[in-house]
Amino acid sequence: MVSAKGDRHMGVIRQSYGRGGTRRRTVRRRRNRVLEMGQLLAVALAAIALGGAVTRMVDEGRLTDWLLGAAPAAASVAPEVYSRHFAICSSAKRDTCIVDGDTFWLDGTKIRIADINTPEISSPQCAREAQLGRQATSRLAQLLNAGPFSLAPADRDEDRYGRKLRIVERDGRSVGAQLVAEGLAHEWQGARRGWC
């Protein structure tokens, strides 16, 4: 016989065993203990996982950056260094040559210098743009032929024309910035600016 008078809200069930003997069983307490054990196990597993992650970050020297909110450092892989002779592109077969002041072919791959925009030579808007475009093209050939350079990644791998977007660097300095300093390029800011 089960009586729940006044005790149901507390989770206590009383059972009678005849002759007035009762045994009190606390169902809710047992259920709570099982939930507490499950929660404790989940917390313990999370702590183990977090400890492993922190240990790995300490081993790799990234913990300080993470704690300070710094961006993760890129893996220190030495960039490939190129040294080729560049001529101005003239034929249908383009392997290693200069297209214009911000585009060139390198070993069969078309590269767009990502940090600049130079005047157009294929469809200039005015005579001044055509003249500056020829100067930028010639100057890029001089700069690339001046010695070894590397290609650093840009914010994305390719543009909508399938050209690889790269920043050309020599001794840690942008070749594109050199063209900007000489007035033959604009710093790329997401849109073309006019030259006329």
Side-chain angles (χ1 to χ4, degrees):
M1 174 174 170
V2 177
S3 168
K5 292 182 181 174
D7 290 333
R8 184 162 289 240
H9 71 280
M10 299 197 59
V12 176
I13 299 175
R14 292 184 183 187
Q15 293 180 333
S16 293
Y17 291 97
R19 297 192 144 192
T22 60
R23 184 175 141 231
R24 183 178 244 190
R25 185 169 48 127
T26 56
V27 176
R28 182 173 286 169
R29 285 186 188 163
R30 286 184 186 158
R31 190 173 354 136
N32 285 347
R33 273 192 228 131
V34 170
L35 289 175
E36 287 172 2
M37 292 300 287
Q39 291 169 341
L40 184 60
L41 181 60
V43 168
L45 290 175
I48 290 169
L50 180 62
V54 168
T55 300
R56 187 171 49 241
M57 290 174 79
V58 167
D59 290 345
E60 295 172 2
R62 296 181 298 134
L63 183 61
T64 303
D65 290 341
W66 180 75
L67 290 172
L68 296 175
S76 59
V77 176
E80 187 169 351
V81 176
Y82 302 92
S83 184
R84 308 282 191 283
H85 175 73
F86 289 86
I88 307 300
C89 296
S90 61
S91 66
K93 176 154 175 39
R94 295 178 173 192
D95 184 59
T96 299
C97 60
I98 306 294
V99 176
D100 61 21
D102 57 23
T103 306
F104 62 96
W105 286 85
L106 175 64
D107 299 335
T109 301
K110 197 171 190 181
I111 309 288
R112 168 67 159 83
I113 302 177
D115 59 344
I116 61 168
N117 184 51
T118 59
E120 296 299 319
I121 58 171
S122 60
S123 56
Q125 300 297 310
C126 64
R128 179 175 183 269
E129 182 175 11
Q131 177 191 8
L132 286 172
R134 287 189 299 274
Q135 289 175 345
T137 303
S138 176
R139 183 63 174 136
L140 179 61
Q142 291 172 351
L143 290 169
L144 293 182
N145 288 327
F149 62 90
S150 61
L151 300 175
D155 60 347
R156 55 193 169 111
D157 187 51
E158 291 185 351
D159 67 5
R160 62 183 174 171
Y161 304 109
R163 300 177 295 187
K164 296 293 184 183
L165 296 172
R166 300 293 183 267
I167 298 170
V168 181
E169 295 179 337
R170 177 172 292 117
D171 300 324
R173 292 185 298 266
S174 166
V175 169
Q178 177 71 35
L179 291 169
V180 171
E182 294 176 12
L184 298 173
H186 290 148
E187 183 179 338
W188 180 252
Q189 296 178 344
R192 296 177 184 263
R193 292 171 25 202
W195 292 93
C196 298

